[in-house]
Amino acid sequence: LEFRRVLFRSRTWREANRAVLTVSDNGLGIPVESVEGLFTLLDTSKQGGMGIGLWLCKQIAERNSGTISYEPHTPHGSTFKISFALANN
């Protein structure tokens, strides 16, 4: 059994009229064969997973005029990018 330290990093910024948040890690990453169903309800590759978390994130983002996307890192890790439209002042 191999142990490794997983680090998380978040970043926020404004991009045109949108607020953007990225959350990245240096974990094992998501298997290529699991990427297609990543935001699908009840689709999971994790033992004991329910397949609700990322689906729910997508629902919340889209119902608030937002988006969420996934980007793999080489050789390890993942980044999720969430953006929302900024309210007019």
Side-chain angles (χ1 to χ4, degrees), residues 3-4 14 16 19 22-23 25-26 33 36 41-43 54-56 58 60 65-67 70 80-81 84 88:
F3 292 96
R4 66 184 286 223
R14 183 178 179 152
T22 58
V23 179
D25 70 27
N26 67 338
E33 59 273 7
E36 186 175 328
L41 180 60
L42 304 179
D43 191 343
L54 289 173
W55 173 83
L56 184 59
K58 183 177 180 182
I60 292 169
S65 301
T67 62
Y70 161 76
F80 286 89
K81 179 179 178 180
F84 292 98
N88 294 332

